[in-house]
Every structure is written in structure tokens, then in C-alpha cells.
Amino acid sequence: MRIYLDHNATTRVDPAAADAMLRALQHLFGNASSVHYYGQQAKAAIDDARSGVAALLGAEPAEIIFTSGGTEADNFAIRGAAEALEPAGRRHLITSGIEHEAVLNTFKALAKRGWRTTVLPLDQTGVLSPDRLREAMADDTALVSIMHANNEIGTIQPIAELAKIAQARGALFHTDAVQSAGKIPVNVRTLGVDLLSVSAHKFYGPKGIGALWAKRGVRLSPFLSGGK
Ligand SMILES: Cc1ncc(COP(=O)(O)O)c(C=O)c1O
């Protein structure tokens, strides 16, 4: 008998999620932008899914942006915020050494393109001290990205406190909640963040879908161009 003990890497798909996907693949083929019955039927299914994700996070449905997973949500939050705030003269970005590669490698890519980046060290227990973040903040800090729960050692960062420090200096705060959503309470209003990433396959959804929550009013540069 084999026992699977790697649920932080990925989970199996819940039968209810598999059933919903099968139904959509077989029956909801309409273009959700079409005004006819088939389009509106597909749109209703998307709206329903959007409301479900919003309810999980204590958010409004209009604030949910579907992505291909946690990696895309992290990339979109960081690159989108960095590019949107650059014209205002904000070219500094802060993260921590404990982040997933989806965040760390995005920071490296932006550093190569001229952004100033700071990667903060953690204390002996794997937690980022709020004082360390306070000292690192600059007048031109655009975004701070600190993960909620870590994928290797499980530490949970004091996100609400860290977010307040960033926002007090006019910066946006992003958290990668890929490992916490579905496992511990994740409420965007309680956490007080501006941007939050989740990924379905970490909590019994399929691979290939995730979401970025962006607080109403937060502007991100799109990295894909297309219809609305
Ligand atoms: C903390 C964290 N962020 C981001 C990701 C990437 O998510 P995805 O596999 O959906 O791209 C993972 C997955 O391992 C993760 O653990």
C-alpha cells in the first residue's frame, strides 16, 4: 500500500471538481462574450466560479482574475505592479529570501531590466521581522511581495503587520497565498493586502488554473494584449 504525503507539492482532483470540469467541457462550449443562450450559459458558469473563488477569499467577484496557476498570478502581480508604478518614479521592489521561485525569479528578471530589488533575510525561525521591512522601505518602493505560508517549512508570515508597513510608505503589498488558501483562513480584508495569488492544484483543483485577487482600484499593466 502506498501513502501519498506530498500534498504541498500537489493534490489529487476532488471528484466534485472533476465532475464540474467534465460538464463544462461537454456542455458549456459557448463563447462567454456571446449574447446568445450558449454564450450566456458559459458566462453564468464563469461567474459562478468567480463568485466561489471570491467567497473563499472574502473578496468581491469583480476583483478575481483567473490565471493559469500560481506562477502566472505571482508574475502578473509583480510585473504588472512594477510596470504600472514605474512612470510614477517607483523603481524599487522588496521580497524575502524564503519566497517560491515564481517570485524570486521574477525579481531577478526585473533586476536585469533596471529595477532596484531588495531580498530580505529572515530570522532564525523563518519569519520576516516587521522592523527589517520598515528599514528596507524607500520613498520609491513600488511593491513588497511576501508569501503567506511557506511551501517547504510551513512558516506563516505576519502579513497584516507587514502590509501596513508597506502601505504606509505608499507601496502595494502582494502575498503568495498558494500554500495557505484552502488550508487556513485566508481573507483579503483581514490580511489587508492589495494583491494575493492562489493556485487550484494545491487544494484539490486541477493543474493549470489559479487566480490573482487584485483589490478594486489597484492598477496592473497587462502582459497579454487582446479583447476584453
Ligand atoms: C508558494 C508557491 N507559490 C507558487 C507556486 C506555483 O504555483 P503553480 O504550480 O500553480 O504555478 C507554488 C507551487 O509549488 C508554491 O508552493
Side-chain angles (χ1 to χ4, degrees), residues 11-201:
T11 56
R12 69 178 68 234
V13 175
D14 187 286
D19 284 351
M21 289 180 74
L22 200 58
R23 182 175 158 262
L25 286 169
Q26 288 175 330
H27 305 294
L28 304 175
F29 68 91
N31 181 329
S33 299
S34 299
V35 292
H36 51 63
Y37 172 80
Y38 297 99
Q40 292 307 297
Q41 200 189 20
K43 182 173 184 304
I46 294 172
D47 287 346
D48 191 39
R50 198 184 298 283
S51 297
V53 177
L56 175 75
L57 303 176
E60 289 172 34
E63 298 171 315
I64 303 297
I65 303 162
F66 286 117
T67 65
S68 64
T71 301
E72 186 184 323
D74 286 346
N75 268 262
F76 188 21
I78 298 164
R79 290 173 195 264
E83 285 175 14
L85 291 167
E86 192 187 9
R90 289 188 177 259
R91 284 188 67 86
H92 179 227
L93 306 166
I94 300 178
T95 190
S96 81
I98 203 172
E99 303 298 314
H100 189 269
E101 284 88 345
V103 169
L104 289 176
N105 287 335
T106 304
F107 267 67
K108 281 187 195 151
L110 289 171
K112 276 199 195 133
R113 288 174 46 202
W115 270 272
R116 222 167 70 254
T117 58
T118 302
V119 181
L120 295 172
L122 307 157
D123 68 17
Q124 310 91 301
T125 62
V127 172
L128 174 63
S129 108
D131 284 341
R132 217 186 272 272
L133 175 61
R134 206 173 280 114
E135 284 160 21
M137 292 297 304
D139 288 340
D140 69 338
T141 306
L143 175 87
V144 176
S145 178
I146 307 292
M147 74 192 330
H148 191 199
N150 182 261
N151 42 303
E152 300 287 341
I153 59 173
T155 45
I156 296 170
Q157 303 297 330
I159 294 300
E161 199 180 344
L162 298 172
K164 278 196 195 118
I165 293 168
Q167 290 156 349
R169 299 290 298 271
L172 292 175
F173 193 95
H174 165 248
T175 193
D176 173 335
V178 165
Q179 289 293 347
S180 53
K183 297 167 191 164
I184 58 173
V186 174
N187 182 296
V188 291
R189 315 286 171 205
T190 312
L191 291 173
V193 297
D194 300 290
L195 295 154
L196 182 142
S197 306
V198 294
S199 172
H201 77 92

